[in-house]
Amino acid sequence: METSVKTPLEVFFQPQQLMVPLFQRPYVWSQDGQWQPLWDDVQRLADRLLAGGNAAPHFLGAVVLQHVLQEAGHVQGRSVIDGQQRLTTLQLLLHAAYVEVSASGNPASAQMALDLVKNPLHFARDPEHQLKLVPTNRDRPAFQTAMRQEAGDALSGRSARIEQAHAFFRASIAAWLDGKETLQAGDALVEALSNLLQLVVIELKPHEDAQEIFETLNARGTPLTAADLIKNFVFQRMDLPGNAAEEVYKAEWQHFETPFWEKEVAAGRLTYSRSSLFLNQWLVASTQADIPAKEVFGYFKRYVSESTEPVQELLPHLRRTAESYRRFTEESWQDSGVQGPLARFVYRTSSLDSEVFKPVLIWLLDDRLSPVPEAQFAKALEVIESWLVRRACVRATTKGYNRLVVDVLAMLNRADRAQVGVVLEDYFARRTAESDYWPTDSDVREQLTGMPVYRRMTRARLRMILEAIEDHLRGFTSGRPLSEQPIRRYNATIEHVMPQEWRVHWRLSESGIPEDERDARVHTLGNLTLLVQALNSKVSNGAWQMKRESLEKHATTLMTRDVLSGADGDWNEAAIDARTQRMIDAILEVWRVPASVIGLKNAEQPSLAFSITVADLLRDGALEVAQTLYAKHSLHRHVIATLGADGAFFVSGSRYETPSAAAKAVTGSQSEAGWDFWLVSQSPDVSLADVRSEAAEAAGDEAVEGEPGAEDLALV
């Protein structure tokens, strides 16, 4: 048995056939689980090459191959004992690259990709030996269909998963290549695929027991985390004698092997141990680089190799940073008492489902650097929190936050640590792009006035904002509290003053307000309050007089007393609207902006329904890359379009950026509405507009079921 780390170039270049045994399962990998993450990794590597930077190799896992004795005249054969899914996917991706790079006008790089999937003719006289991978019998026809495609061919059908994978990669590559310099982009893509991916290849001799190896590799067990790999690397690098290594382990590393750090937490589509995510965030803070969570180990090795800091000094620093991280995380979980600026920041930003600024926290607390003055530290947290909360209130995009944090860290690294709060405030005040602007008071008021926040925000996010309003009413914003304690966190119940089922007991006034207007008011800020003890359903949905009497008895929050004082004998639309403005006033006071803030420049906020793009629907799974769409008009019923990875439309080999552009190209009419023109289903007719409407409704109902436990609110 021989084990080595190889690139796809080293694995596939030589004339050979990798044969998947008949007893193995068919191809099962999917877009969400494997294709999209793999393409994201390849695209990132190629982008770095195009930018002229160095790209660290990306590890794909292990495969086991066994040499097969062949008759004379046959190419060398290997049986795929383990890893057929990743090998098949790599072959489909390489061939898709060949097709699209060839179509882009780069025959040299296209041929390099083709050389990794097909044997030269002089080595493959028999057509059966031409492909370098032979799947199971069940997958063979679909695989051969995909691998016969050439530049200009329509995307393959979607009946078999293998063909779907090939179509997905073709569409993704075509979208990535579009608009780039042909030769450089093709070269970068093929270079990334050939030499910047890595596999651990275990090669068995013909006589070795392949089944025993297979069972050992696939035995049940806990996969190694990034923290496990880093631990092994660090202690091997220190090369200490046994007793000394054990002492260092107990003092500097053992704390990572506790339930707090071993808990699996979510990060996007995947989950990682909290220790691995902490190490990821620490690396981002230390390197000012955007580091994917699953590549932490590789970046850590490079960091240690390039650093002048000895590993013996790095470990104590990591331990101290981890202790601080755990301390402020656990303090943010406490449901009562006055929180300090750090614990409050962690609690509130975690309620926003935003952990992206944790690297900035780590940088601010870095004990290797000069200390940040307490006032500037608090100001820095206030600035970031205001920026995040206000953007959440106006439903601004969160795309690009990781990159933004890297830019912020680079900027702070050049600044005076004694002025970080002022520097951060000035930085965000001058942001004007949709991806990074700091919403002004008028921006927030415009969006929150009339917004059905109960349906637009998660319960944790909305409760946190209402808690902050209550604490503001209690005087904690001004620093002159009227009460000794803020409201208890996590525990209060969000109550509608006018119930959601208002039609039973709440008659419309003689003013003639339509029912739909009242429905809209019910979920706005002015109609919501926090109750320490929930009302029973009869009272909660009862008439105003009954509910008012109950609220008067149980009005332990100032915001509920505000309801009673503002009702003026009745609770109606006018009272709700007036209270909404008072609550917005409180939000603007809690999360202030400086007078110098510019806000969003030369752009208008889109309405909710029409801010949803095809790319958004692809990202959320409502549509799929390479999905077929059909023309609605009977005259053009035969015309189909295929979706690219970035939301572009491909019709008869031409690319269109929007649904309407593609529809106009088909009909010749300049007034064609593409969202209604394109169908995702013909029986019954379901248009893109229908899918968009469903997505808008779903966005309004997001996260109304279930509540996270206190220990999970600070997680990614």
Side-chain angles (χ1 to χ4, degrees):
M1 180 172 64
E2 296 178 359
T3 303
S4 57
V5 177
K6 294 186 177 182
T7 64
L9 179 67
E10 294 168 317
V11 173
F12 297 125
F13 186 73
Q14 63 181 332
Q16 62 181 311
Q17 274 205 316
L18 305 175
M19 297 169 287
V20 180
L22 300 180
F23 58 81
Q24 290 200 20
R25 64 177 179 173
Y27 185 74
V28 296
W29 276 15
S30 64
Q31 177 177 334
D32 288 340
Q34 291 85 22
W35 308 340
Q36 186 70 58
L38 174 58
W39 169 245
D40 290 344
D41 292 329
V42 170
Q43 180 178 248
R44 183 171 58 255
L45 294 172
D47 284 337
R48 289 176 184 169
L49 291 177
L50 270 180
N54 295 323
H58 179 69
F59 179 62
L60 293 180
V63 299
V64 181
L65 307 175
Q66 185 166 38
H67 288 264
V68 177
L69 298 176
Q70 294 278 44
E71 298 177 3
H74 289 70
V75 293
Q76 180 181 356
R78 289 184 175 87
S79 181
V80 180
I81 306 303
D82 194 39
Q84 64 127 331
Q85 303 288 329
R86 56 178 48 88
L87 288 174
T88 303
T89 304
L90 279 174
Q91 285 286 289
L92 293 168
L93 176 52
L94 283 163
H95 188 268
Y98 154 71
V99 174
E100 297 303 326
V101 171
S102 179
S104 74
N106 188 341
S109 287
Q111 185 62 46
M112 291 175 65
L114 184 63
D115 288 343
L116 301 184
V117 298
K118 290 188 177 181
N119 291 311
L121 291 177
H122 54 277
F123 280 99
R125 301 168 191 170
D126 187 333
E128 292 183 359
H129 296 159
Q130 188 173 11
L131 293 177
K132 294 193 175 184
L133 180 86
V134 180
T136 63
N137 278 2
R138 182 173 172 181
D139 287 332
R140 206 165 294 168
F143 186 76
Q144 291 173 345
T145 297
M147 304 298 269
R148 281 197 296 265
Q149 291 196 353
E150 296 291 341
D153 289 350
L155 296 180
S156 59
R158 298 173 50 80
S159 58
R161 192 173 292 256
I162 277 182
E163 291 177 86
Q164 294 172 20
H166 192 266
F168 166 81
F169 288 128
R170 276 195 60 187
S172 300
I173 292 169
W176 182 81
L177 288 170
D178 186 58
K180 294 182 173 64
E181 201 285 325
T182 301
L183 293 179
Q184 291 182 357
D187 292 347
L189 177 62
V190 174
E191 173 64 15
L193 286 171
S194 303
N195 290 310
L196 293 182
L197 303 177
Q198 289 185 339
L199 294 160
V200 171
V201 181
I202 302 173
E203 296 186 88
L204 308 179
K205 299 293 190 287
H207 64 276
E208 292 184 275
D209 189 344
Q211 185 61 28
E212 179 181 350
I213 299 295
F214 181 85
E215 290 176 358
T216 301
L217 288 170
N218 289 276
R220 293 184 178 182
T222 304
L224 292 175
T225 65
D228 294 325
L229 295 169
I230 288 172
K231 176 185 69 175
N232 294 335
F233 169 75
V234 166
F235 281 89
Q236 286 181 12
R237 193 176 184 91
M238 287 194 296
D239 194 24
L240 298 172
N243 292 340
E246 185 173 350
E247 290 301 317
V248 173
Y249 162 76
K250 289 179 179 179
E252 310 295 354
W253 195 271
Q254 192 173 28
H255 65 95
F256 275 127
E257 297 173 357
T258 58
F260 175 86
W261 292 107
E262 291 177 342
K263 181 177 176 61
E264 290 287 314
V265 294
R269 295 182 297 269
L270 306 175
T271 59
Y272 304 90
S273 66
R274 185 182 277 118
S275 58
S276 297
L277 286 177
F278 159 73
L279 289 165
N280 174 225
Q281 293 163 345
W282 175 84
L283 269 175
V284 173
S286 300
T287 64
Q288 291 88 59
D290 185 8
I291 299 173
K294 58 186 174 181
E295 295 184 18
V296 171
F297 177 53
Y299 276 88
F300 184 89
K301 285 199 302 182
R302 180 191 298 177
Y303 175 81
V304 171
S305 300
E306 296 175 354
S307 174
T308 57
E309 183 179 18
V311 175
Q312 289 86 339
E313 296 178 13
L314 177 61
L315 272 183
H317 164 71
L318 269 178
R319 174 186 52 76
R320 294 191 301 271
T321 306
E323 288 172 351
S324 173
Y325 187 98
R326 177 170 183 166
R327 185 164 51 252
F328 67 62
T329 299
E330 292 180 334
E331 287 175 356
S332 75
W333 295 343
Q334 296 174 7
D335 64 358
S336 62
V338 178
Q339 290 179 316
L342 179 54
R344 183 176 62 240
F345 173 86
V346 174
Y347 165 62
R348 288 178 173 176
T349 56
S350 297
S351 298
L352 296 174
D353 299 321
S354 178
E355 294 294 290
V356 71
F357 276 91
K358 280 284 180 66
V360 177
L361 280 188
I362 293 172
W363 184 88
L364 290 170
L365 296 167
D366 194 332
D367 60 12
R368 298 172 300 183
L369 305 174
S370 60
V372 175
E374 184 177 344
Q376 287 296 309
F377 182 82
K379 185 177 183 64
L381 299 187
E382 290 171 2
V383 168
I384 297 171
E385 185 182 315
S386 171
W387 185 85
L388 283 169
V389 173
R390 283 178 173 246
R391 287 182 64 83
C393 286
V394 303
R395 297 174 63 81
T397 180
T398 60
K399 294 178 180 177
Y401 274 15
N402 287 342
R403 185 65 248 175
L404 173 73
V405 166
V406 170
D407 292 341
V408 167
L409 284 167
M411 180 269 298
L412 289 175
N413 242 5
R414 298 189 298 268
D416 181 359
R417 282 176 67 84
Q419 295 293 318
V420 291
V422 174
V423 170
L424 272 173
E425 182 178 72
D426 179 66
Y427 175 85
F428 282 115
R430 291 184 288 106
R431 301 300 98 191
T432 60
E434 185 177 356
S435 61
D436 62 11
Y437 79 101
W438 197 352
T440 63
D441 287 358
S442 59
D443 292 333
V444 175
R445 190 176 298 278
E446 179 182 353
Q447 288 297 313
L448 289 182
T449 298
M451 179 192 288
V453 292
Y454 188 80
R455 302 187 70 84
R456 292 286 181 260
M457 293 184 180
T458 65
R459 293 297 172 269
R461 179 176 299 185
L462 179 57
R463 183 186 291 112
M464 180 274 292
I465 290 175
L466 293 176
E467 289 169 351
I469 294 174
E470 175 64 23
D471 287 344
H472 172 73
L473 296 175
R474 296 186 183 191
F476 285 96
T477 301
S478 65
R480 298 185 295 275
L482 307 175
S483 167
E484 292 183 358
Q485 295 292 326
I487 188 172
R488 290 193 66 179
R489 295 169 289 278
Y490 304 112
N491 293 286
T493 299
I494 301 174
E495 175 74 18
H496 290 75
V497 182
M498 181 183 290
Q500 300 182 68
E501 302 299 328
W502 58 267
R503 288 173 174 80
V504 179
H505 298 291
W506 297 61
R507 294 183 179 179
L508 287 168
S509 66
E510 296 179 358
S511 62
I513 294 176
E515 290 189 359
D516 59 347
E517 283 195 28
R518 171 165 283 188
D519 285 332
R521 295 295 207 298
V522 165
H523 298 300
T524 58
L525 270 175
N527 193 49
L528 303 176
T529 191
L530 288 178
L531 297 180
V532 175
Q533 183 177 356
L535 303 176
N536 65 53
S537 59
K538 181 179 179 180
V539 173
S540 181
N541 293 307
W544 167 236
Q545 190 58 38
M546 176 195 297
K547 191 162 190 176
R548 178 170 188 157
E549 291 174 359
S550 181
L551 290 176
E552 287 175 341
K553 293 179 182 178
H554 304 289
T556 58
T557 61
L558 293 181
M559 65 169 54
T560 301
R561 295 178 192 174
D562 182 59
V563 169
L564 299 174
S565 63
D568 194 24
D570 191 14
W571 189 252
N572 52 32
E573 286 74 18
I576 292 172
D577 291 347
R579 185 165 175 269
T580 293
Q581 295 307 312
R582 294 197 297 275
M583 296 181 80
I584 293 174
D585 290 340
I587 288 173
L588 300 180
E589 280 295 311
V590 174
W591 293 292
R592 301 176 184 176
V593 293
S596 59
V597 69
I598 298 174
L600 185 60
K601 193 172 183 180
N602 299 327
E604 295 181 357
Q605 287 282 38
S607 65
L608 173 63
F610 295 98
S611 67
I612 297 176
T613 66
V614 175
D616 292 330
L617 297 175
L618 286 166
R619 185 187 65 250
D620 295 339
L623 299 173
E624 296 180 2
V625 175
Q627 182 170 343
T628 299
L629 302 177
Y630 309 91
K632 182 176 183 178
H633 298 172
S634 57
L635 183 62
H636 306 288
R637 202 71 168 184
H638 63 287
V639 178
I640 63 172
T642 305
L643 288 180
D646 60 349
F649 283 63
F650 292 85
V651 180
S652 300
S654 297
R655 174 190 170 95
Y656 303 94
E657 299 301 326
T658 65
S660 295
K664 291 173 184 177
V666 172
T667 65
S669 170
Q670 293 305 304
S671 60
E672 201 65 62
W675 285 90
D676 293 313
F677 179 84
W678 294 108
L679 304 177
V680 298
S681 169
Q682 293 178 304
S683 182
D685 282 0
V686 178
S687 69
L688 274 179
D690 296 329
V691 176
R692 181 176 62 181
S693 296
E694 290 180 7
E697 292 176 10
D701 292 332
E702 63 181 353
V704 297
E705 297 181 5
E707 294 290 342
E711 77 268 21
D712 292 325
L713 284 174
L715 307 184
V716 174

